[in-house]
Amino acid sequence: MARIRDSDACPGALQVHEAADGALVRVRVPGGMLSAGQLATLARISSEFGSATLELTGRGNVQLRAVADVVRVAEAIAGAGLLPSATHERVRNIVASPLSGRVGGNVDLRPWIGELDAAICAEPRLAQLGGRFWFSLDDGRGDVSGLHADVGVHVFPDGPVLLLAGRDSGVRVTDVCQSLVDAALRFLDVRGNAWRVTELNNPGDLAPGAVPGAEFPPSGRAPVGWIPQDDGRVTLGAAVPLGILPARVAEFLAAIEAPLVITPWRSVLVCDLSEEVADTVLRVLAPLGLIFDENSPWLSVSACTGSPGCAHSAADVRADAAQALDADHPVHRHFVGCERACGSPVSGEVLVATGTGYRLLRS
């Protein structure tokens, strides 16, 4: 499907979207990796200038809604180290296996995340990518390859392979970051009126020698609960109902002063904790509404913004999703307010509001 507009309207920290409830700011967080100080800054500016909530997106980014002073918010974001490039800030879309380097996997991806981010920002032409074009790094466990990013790398036991729209291209890579940058540059050369790799007639054009192979299956749920790390420490995985993290709860997370990872399943990992600290943190955070039970029905529903935040929506889809919790429902359900179906996951049911109820848009 070809793009329907000539300009890219995807919001960022500088180019914001004027939603029904005010300015929407989207902060790119490559690999979902945040320091405690960065999360504290986002919580503070959301409380001072916005809705006092942080929205976690399906690509591990963070949104601020109802922002009253876009300039001061952008300055604070930059001051926290979350805006390294004004020209490339909307194209720093990198999703990586959230537990990489801590639990399992064939390689520790964390150094690659920073290297890829720097390589994207260093290539002037990549500023032309659309804000929805994204990169993935999978350490071999298959969690993010199944999300079908535009270009990515999957690390098999015998080395990394280039992925195009979630498919194994058969192209072995030695320089991971350069290979991904090269594929993105070729996309710009051949895209015509396409915004995404899936819109190309022949995605294999992005890599010499590419042969379309198997598509990686859709990924599972967020890692939640008590997760033992390979080094003996603990990661706590906290699902965030509907991806809405109150700024006050974010302040508690930041106060732990531990490395944080925002996952593509709208959850937060609190990493590198001792068992004693993890036990205390769990007792404090669970009563605040974060979900540590892998069987919780909250892990089976998601929703777009809906009314009243989005003028296109026919319903308050978040409220309806919360009312529809069902631990026995066999698949994930995503509730949306209009046909655009924003934030829809790769798999599961997408239910669109009709004004009098919901109809199945996709299953």
Side-chain angles (χ1 to χ4, degrees), residues 27-69:
V27 183
R28 267 59 177 191
V29 185
M33 298 192 304
L34 279 176
S35 69
Q38 288 172 331
L39 182 62
T41 295
L42 293 176
R44 176 182 60 80
I45 60 179
S46 178
S47 295
E48 291 182 7
F49 303 110
S51 65
T53 59
L54 308 180
E55 292 186 348
L56 311 186
T57 78
R59 295 182 182 176
N61 295 320
V62 178
Q63 293 186 162
L64 309 178
R65 299 197 71 88
V67 173
D69 193 328

Side-chain angles (χ1 to χ4, degrees), residues 22-325:
L24 169 67
V25 170
R26 182 175 299 159
V27 183
R28 267 59 177 191
V29 185
M33 298 192 304
L34 279 176
S35 69
Q38 288 172 331
L39 182 62
T41 295
L42 293 176
R44 176 182 60 80
I45 60 179
S46 178
S47 295
E48 291 182 7
F49 303 110
S51 65
T53 59
L54 308 180
E55 292 186 348
L56 311 186
T57 78
R59 295 182 182 176
N61 295 320
V62 178
Q63 293 186 162
L64 309 178
R65 299 197 71 88
V67 173
D69 193 328
V70 172
V71 173
R72 291 183 66 181
V73 165
E75 291 173 347
I77 292 170
L82 292 168
L83 189 58
S85 171
T87 54
H88 290 66
E89 61 105 0
R90 292 185 302 140
V91 302
R92 301 168 57 240
N93 294 306
I94 304 170
V95 173
S97 299
L99 288 168
S100 189
R102 294 187 169 95
V103 181
N106 294 323
V107 68
D108 183 351
L109 296 171
R110 289 174 293 178
W112 290 353
I113 296 170
E115 291 171 12
L116 178 58
D117 187 21
I120 292 169
C121 292
E123 173 48 66
R125 286 189 61 210
L126 292 188
Q128 301 171 28
L129 290 172
R132 290 178 175 82
F133 188 101
W134 56 306
F135 303 80
S136 68
L137 297 168
D138 192 306
D139 65 6
R141 73 187 69 224
D143 53 355
V144 301
S145 290
L147 297 175
H148 301 172
D150 290 280
V151 295
V153 161
H154 187 95
V155 183
F156 290 95
D158 59 349
V161 172
L162 183 70
L163 305 187
L164 300 174
R167 288 187 178 276
D168 185 343
S169 71
V171 175
R172 299 281 175 174
V173 298
T174 53
D175 188 329
V176 167
C177 296
Q178 190 59 52
S179 296
L180 291 172
V181 167
D182 288 345
L185 287 170
R186 290 192 187 97
F187 172 78
L188 291 176
D189 290 336
V190 303
R191 73 175 187 177
N193 67 345
W195 283 117
R196 304 291 309 281
V197 170
T198 53
E199 299 167 8
L200 298 177
N201 292 327
N202 185 13
D205 290 341
L206 303 187
V211 178
E215 184 176 73
F216 280 82
S219 307
R221 293 183 173 189
V224 300
W226 184 284
I227 305 170
Q229 296 183 185
D230 295 341
D231 63 2
R233 292 181 290 180
V234 175
T235 286
L236 290 178
V240 178
L242 301 178
I244 309 302
L245 180 65
R248 180 59 177 155
V249 178
E251 291 170 359
F252 275 94
L253 285 166
I256 302 167
E257 296 188 343
L260 301 159
V261 181
I262 308 299
T263 82
W265 304 280
R266 298 180 174 88
S267 66
V268 181
L269 302 182
V270 187
C271 307
D272 301 342
L273 305 174
S274 68
E275 290 192 358
E276 294 77 12
V277 170
D279 184 67
T280 299
V281 168
L282 189 59
R283 295 175 186 274
V284 170
L285 294 181
L288 299 178
L290 297 177
I291 306 298
F292 296 93
D293 177 7
E294 64 180 6
N295 297 313
S296 171
W298 279 113
L299 275 66
S300 296
V301 295
S302 56
C304 71
T305 297
S307 302
C310 177
H312 297 282
S313 180
D316 184 347
V317 295
R318 287 176 174 166
D320 292 341
Q323 291 293 322
L325 293 181

